[in-house]
Amino acid sequence: MSPPLSRRALLQAATLAAAAPAASYAASGRAVAAVPGMPSAAAPTTWSVRPFGLEDVTLGRGVFADKRQLMLDHARGYDVNRLVQVFRANAGLPTGGAVAPGGWEGLDGEANGNLRGHYTGHFLTMLAQAYRGTKEQVFADKIRTMVGALTEVREALRRDPVVLSSEGKFGRAAENVRGSYQYVDLPAAVLGGASAITLSAWVKPTHDANWTRIFDFGNDTTRYMYLAARNQSGVPRFAITTSGPGGEQGLNGTAPLPVNRWSHVAVTIAGGTGTLYVNGTAVARNASMTLTPAALGTPRNNWLGRSNFSADPVFAGAFDEFNVFSRALTAAEVGELQGRRAAEASTGRGDLASYAFDETSGGTFADASGRALTATLRRTWGGPSHPGFLAAYPETQFIQLESMTSGDYTKVWAPYYTAHKILRGLLDAHLALDDARALDLASGMCDWMYSRLSKLPDATLQRMWGIFSSGELGGIVEAICDLHTISGKAEHLALAKLFDLDRLIDSCAANTDILDGLHANQHIPIFTGYLRLYDATGETRYLTAAKNFWGMVVPHRMYGIGGTSTQEFWKARGVIAGTISATTAETCCAYNMLKLSRTLFFHDQDPKYMEYYERALYNQVLGSKQDKPDAEKPLVTYFIGLTPGHVRDYTPKQGTTCCEGTGMESATKYQDSVYFAKADGSALYVNLYSPSTLTWAEKGVTVTQTTDFPKEQGSTLTFGGGRASFALRLRVPSWATAGFRVTVNGDSVPGTPKPGSYFSVSRTWRAGDTVRITMPFRLRVEKALDDPSLQTLFYGPVNLVARNAATEYLKVGLYRNAGLSGDLLPSFTPVSGKPLHYTLDGTEWAPFFEGTEDPTHAYFRRSEPKVVLGGRDSGVANPAKADGTTLLDEIWAGAPFSGKGTLVTRVRSTVDAWVSAGLLSRADGDKVVNTAQAASYAP
């Protein structure tokens, strides 16, 4: 293989912009094979197995279908106009009264809504997956509504702002939608150097933010004259100064301007006296004013709705008349303006400036004063640097990131992460509906990103992607690579390479663990993208880094449910018990680890990847979704606390976080990894035992899996369609140590399935063929890596948790009635009518995947104070070695036992060794052996 291209070489190649790209799959000689489920309907040849599309696998009745139904109902009823509200606002378009979802997805969310737009992308993906899985028209209609709205938004962002006309006080009015960053720019001569003045305006605020300006005339934050709709006390304030805030001469109102109602405000200055009027009433007077507009000279910045202080919010609301007079109107004249337009009043129009805002199109406002001072509608941030830009906020976050040296999410909060969610949603919309508009929007976004990032030095890029939070980029590399398979544009592949974080890649490629202290979800999805870059470029460092990274997380930073991270970060390798908190296991991390695991499996069919997939899917992902309907929220966890007595919070931060977003996606793609096919069609992998029907069109067969797994300890596969020859590869879970058995049409299949492998059955399959898999469950414990006494309980694939309100770890003994197989289940009592529910010492144990609000104990403190065998108490204290291993631990480590005699032999040999080591007296040892001989045991 020729040496991989460097980033700079790729960028140089990209500038050629050939229609048949130099770096595309086809041009590089890396052939593609048709595969449903890829945005391009093609899979790279580096994948030795391939997924099926969501439309190829239908879920049957069971826990997955039940959870999905809750999310589908939420999606069916949700008004998607709410999701595009912030996009419309940013573009200055009418929002139709839609209310943004809130939380992170709104202007008032955490960090002032600096992540807004991300949830819209998640929702698009969810809708696309829902449509592919159900073909319900309602989902297609909602997708088309959103894509249409985003198309309008991009077009609006490309052009200069256009007036949004609304009903005014007297006629029409110019409205600035909240979040549009729009203001009215007046010509420099508007104040005319007047020493006496009246400024009169009709305004209708639509938000109660402090320090929004009705007008502000000045050069900077030293020389200015403004009228704020609300000051820090929430009342109108007029001020004029030539020496900054400390020199302000001002007037303060007495009551807030009402929101969503028209108010008339006027300021007069003459003869050293200033007066502030609200709705015709003088609410403030200052007779010691020495400054007039003449003192400002000719201000550079003459704005309606914008402040000379950049941190102040832009005015949200509508302007009707704005008049500037070169004299101080009398109280009577101001009062007259309450009932009629200035042109109809004795005052006449303002002689310095007069704007009626009756325009219904265009981006300028006529001046009726006779001075021809045409005003212009503008954005505070100007406009996008490239016509492909699409976001729910200005491009300023992306620009600021380029010069940041440390993170500050109140200023810049992961703009490329948000861009990824939007890009991913558009690609999924295109995949689901073949919507060319969605593809065009996605391609434009990548063209825009390339236009910015390709101009930056490598050092700047490395710094950006290493900044916590602000530089988080999500799975954008994967999405760009997926787009590249469609577009074939060299720039798109080059763009994906611009997100290389070399320190992370090189360390992981060298198998050097540097994860301690890193933000988990900032880094997990990067590696799925790097795998896709390996597919596109052949650079093996990407593949090696991704494999090694996965091994640094599993099991070294993995909790029993499959989750990872504490307070969103990783700690030292191998520290599990020492990191358990109320903010462990961020749900996004599990979502992205599942995606990484399945993508690794496409390259390397190591069963450990699907072992992890089953663990995290059946426990954390299922358990992150509450089991009740809700029209407003998806009801998905952010963190899953693993502390004793923790109650899951399914609506954190008002319900629009990253984890609610990925939770919506997870609940509409449960079937995506049940089956994979060998790339050459020679084998079908059954990875998960889930009720479902696969339609394998290439083979002309269907495979229907009938099971109530995990309530049922097995599954049945029934073949339909025509005849087809291939190997059926059935995953043998590592926990299936009690005997995994397979029959075909009732006949046993020879061979010994090995736990933690795939068992292959090869034949020519015919319609009606039936494969039965049985896999008896055992109850077992898993110990925390750094504290063996802290344990979690599993029954087959299912994590069982204690439902108990105690806030300290429960002390639990499990050996008392252990079976000869080593199964701990006989120590528990089944709960009648509730599969997978048991009691022990008065506490109920239930599957973690049940989305309830019960206080739970995922971990408990193992306590076996006495040697009890077969329910008989020997009266001997259970001794322990220095490492915590007890006598009972060593006895039961020999399980399974073929019979009672084998168990007794194990007890005797273990006792003899402990007596010889001085850890147990001979008398106590004899009591233990006698107890073992006298007891009876479950199988």
Side-chain angles (χ1 to χ4, degrees), residues 524-545:
I524 299 169
I526 296 177
F527 282 95
T528 304
Y530 291 158
L531 282 172
R532 297 289 288 112
L533 271 175
Y534 164 72
D535 297 333
T537 68
E539 293 188 42
T540 56
R541 73 175 188 135
Y542 292 125
L543 176 63
T544 304

Side-chain angles (χ1 to χ4, degrees), residues 415-702:
Y416 284 96
Y417 173 96
T418 303
H420 161 244
K421 299 307 174 187
I422 300 166
L423 175 63
R424 180 78 267 168
L426 291 168
L427 287 172
D428 290 333
H430 170 65
L431 175 62
L433 299 179
D434 195 24
D435 192 321
R437 298 172 304 167
L439 181 59
D440 182 58
L441 290 169
S443 185
M445 286 186 70
C446 289
D447 293 343
W448 155 69
M449 283 187 275
Y450 180 75
S451 74
R452 290 209 67 84
L453 297 178
S454 63
K455 296 179 175 65
L456 299 177
D458 283 355
T460 299
L461 295 169
Q462 297 297 321
R463 172 173 47 76
M464 286 166 59
W465 311 140
I467 297 175
F468 162 60
S469 187
S470 297
E472 186 174 354
L473 52 94
I476 200 166
V477 177
E478 177 197 20
I480 295 169
C481 287
D482 286 350
L483 173 65
H484 173 251
T485 65
I486 309 172
S487 72
K489 293 179 68 173
E491 293 95 337
H492 291 163
L493 181 56
L495 172 63
K497 290 276 291 179
L498 291 174
F499 291 95
D500 281 5
L501 183 53
D502 289 335
R503 174 175 176 267
L504 181 69
I505 298 170
D506 294 341
S507 295
C508 289
N511 210 17
T512 302
D513 191 329
I514 62 167
L515 302 191
D516 187 6
L518 292 184
H519 183 260
N521 199 50
Q522 183 165 345
H523 295 87
I524 299 169
I526 296 177
F527 282 95
T528 304
Y530 291 158
L531 282 172
R532 297 289 288 112
L533 271 175
Y534 164 72
D535 297 333
T537 68
E539 293 188 42
T540 56
R541 73 175 188 135
Y542 292 125
L543 176 63
T544 304
K547 286 185 174 182
N548 290 341
F549 165 81
W550 190 93
M552 295 171 191
V553 178
V554 182
H556 305 290
R557 293 177 172 88
M558 181 193 76
Y559 302 105
I561 59 172
T564 186
S565 81
T566 184
Q567 294 180 317
E568 300 192 9
F569 289 82
W570 282 309
K571 302 300 182 183
R573 182 185 182 104
V575 180
I576 301 299
T579 60
I580 288 176
S581 72
T583 55
T584 38
E586 183 186 354
T587 307
C588 274
C589 294
Y591 165 91
N592 281 308
M593 282 297 297
L594 289 180
K595 182 174 282 192
L596 175 61
S597 299
R598 78 191 293 265
T599 308
L600 282 167
F601 192 85
F602 297 155
H603 297 86
D604 175 7
Q605 287 73 66
D606 190 323
K608 68 182 181 183
Y609 298 126
M610 285 297 110
E611 288 282 334
Y612 173 81
Y613 202 97
E614 177 187 69
R615 175 192 295 267
L617 180 66
Y618 272 94
N619 295 293
Q620 172 152 9
V621 170
L622 278 183
S624 69
K625 173 72 185 84
Q626 190 171 17
D627 295 334
K628 74 175 187 180
D630 193 284
E632 178 68 14
K633 305 296 181 187
L635 299 183
V636 178
T637 58
Y638 190 108
F639 296 115
I640 292 185
L642 299 176
T643 50
H646 181 81
V647 177
R648 273 170 264 179
D649 179 5
Y650 299 96
T651 53
K653 303 176 185 288
Q654 300 182 54
T656 53
T657 66
C658 52
C659 293
E660 278 83 22
T662 54
M664 292 189 299
E665 294 183 35
S666 291
T668 49
K669 65 180 182 73
Y670 289 135
Q671 72 269 41
D672 76 341
S673 297
V674 178
Y675 309 99
F676 295 151
K678 192 75 173 173
D680 61 5
S682 64
L684 176 68
Y685 287 79
V686 181
N687 304 306
L688 300 172
Y689 298 100
S690 176
S692 55
T693 297
L694 166 68
T695 301
W696 193 358
E698 292 174 2
K699 290 290 186 180
V701 300
T702 61

Side-chain angles (χ1 to χ4, degrees), residues 78-86 98-102 105 120 632:
Y78 201 86
D79 180 6
V80 294
N81 287 298
R82 298 181 61 189
L83 296 162
V84 294
Q85 192 266 2
V86 287
V99 178
E105 193 61 29
T120 301
E632 178 68 14

Side-chain angles (χ1 to χ4, degrees), residues 123-168:
F123 212 96
L124 259 178
T125 291
M126 187 252 293
L127 290 173
Q129 293 175 170
Y131 177 72
R132 291 176 62 199
T134 68
K135 294 303 179 183
E136 290 185 30
Q137 189 63 34
V138 63
F139 302 125
D141 292 342
K142 287 177 180 288
I143 292 170
R144 291 190 177 101
T145 295
M146 294 177 72
V147 171
L150 293 176
T151 302
E152 292 175 7
V153 164
R154 187 180 68 175
E155 184 58 34
L157 288 170
R158 287 176 168 182
R159 63 175 185 254
D160 290 333
V162 175
V163 62
L164 178 58
S165 181
S166 63
E167 184 177 353

Side-chain angles (χ1 to χ4, degrees), residues 247-264:
E248 287 185 1
Q249 298 176 12
L251 299 161
N252 290 323
T254 56
L257 297 183
V259 173
N260 295 318
R261 282 172 49 192
W262 285 104
S263 294
H264 181 262

Side-chain angles (χ1 to χ4, degrees), residues 677-685 696-703 719-729 760-767 769:
K678 192 75 173 173
D680 61 5
S682 64
L684 176 68
Y685 287 79
W696 193 358
E698 292 174 2
K699 290 290 186 180
V701 300
T702 61
V703 180
F719 287 79
R723 299 172 59 173
S725 298
F726 57 87
L728 185 67
R729 294 187 176 170
S760 187
V761 182
S762 297
R763 60 181 279 140
T764 298
W765 301 97
R766 298 172 174 83
D769 281 350

Side-chain angles (χ1 to χ4, degrees), residues 151-431:
T151 302
E152 292 175 7
V153 164
R154 187 180 68 175
E155 184 58 34
L157 288 170
R158 287 176 168 182
R159 63 175 185 254
D160 290 333
V162 175
V163 62
L164 178 58
S165 181
S166 63
E167 184 177 353
K169 175 66 178 177
F170 299 112
R172 304 304 297 170
E175 183 174 358
N176 284 342
V177 176
R178 183 164 176 253
S180 67
Y181 297 88
Q182 291 182 174
Y183 67 101
V184 179
D185 188 15
L186 307 180
V190 66
L191 296 181
S195 58
I197 200 165
T198 297
L199 301 108
S200 164
W202 278 99
V203 293
K204 184 172 72 172
T206 55
H207 190 246
D208 59 0
N210 293 341
W211 296 119
T212 58
R213 301 295 201 261
I214 294 173
F215 61 74
D216 197 335
F217 304 100
N219 293 335
D220 45 36
T221 57
T222 300
R223 301 173 69 87
Y224 53 80
M225 178 179 71
Y226 69 76
L227 175 60
R230 291 171 180 248
N231 64 2
Q232 75 277 5
S233 301
V235 298
R237 173 174 172 78
F238 170 82
I240 184 170
T241 182
T242 57
S243 57
E248 287 185 1
Q249 298 176 12
L251 299 161
N252 290 323
T254 56
L257 297 183
V259 173
N260 295 318
R261 282 172 49 192
W262 285 104
S263 294
H264 181 262
V265 290
V267 176
T268 65
I269 300 176
T273 297
T275 306
L276 172 64
Y277 295 87
V278 177
N279 294 323
T281 300
V283 296
R285 179 172 282 107
N286 184 344
S288 301
M289 297 186 69
T290 61
L291 296 175
T292 69
L296 301 179
T298 303
R300 292 190 301 268
N301 305 326
N302 300 278
W303 298 329
L304 302 184
R306 180 181 180 182
S307 171
N308 275 288
F309 288 80
S310 60
D312 290 339
V314 179
F315 178 81
F319 288 93
D320 200 328
E321 285 202 323
F322 180 71
N323 284 280
V324 184
F325 301 86
S326 60
R327 65 185 180 87
L329 299 185
T330 66
E333 288 175 318
V334 172
E336 188 182 358
L337 294 177
Q338 307 310 298
R340 59 177 62 95
R341 290 185 173 222
E344 300 166 357
S346 62
T347 61
R349 296 185 176 95
D351 60 315
L352 293 181
S354 180
Y355 303 97
F357 297 111
D358 285 335
E359 290 82 357
T360 58
S361 62
T364 60
F365 305 100
D367 170 32
S369 70
R371 301 177 69 207
L373 300 180
T374 302
T376 305
L377 187 64
R378 302 192 190 281
R379 300 187 188 98
T380 60
W381 56 284
S385 62
H386 184 281
F389 175 74
L390 177 64
Y393 46 68
E395 196 176 357
T396 48
Q397 279 207 61
F398 298 91
I399 297 169
Q400 290 178 51
L401 176 61
E402 295 169 7
S403 60
M404 292 180 73
T405 56
S406 61
D408 182 350
Y409 86 133
T410 65
K411 293 183 175 64
V412 176
W413 192 6
Y416 284 96
Y417 173 96
T418 303
H420 161 244
K421 299 307 174 187
I422 300 166
L423 175 63
R424 180 78 267 168
L426 291 168
L427 287 172
D428 290 333
H430 170 65
L431 175 62

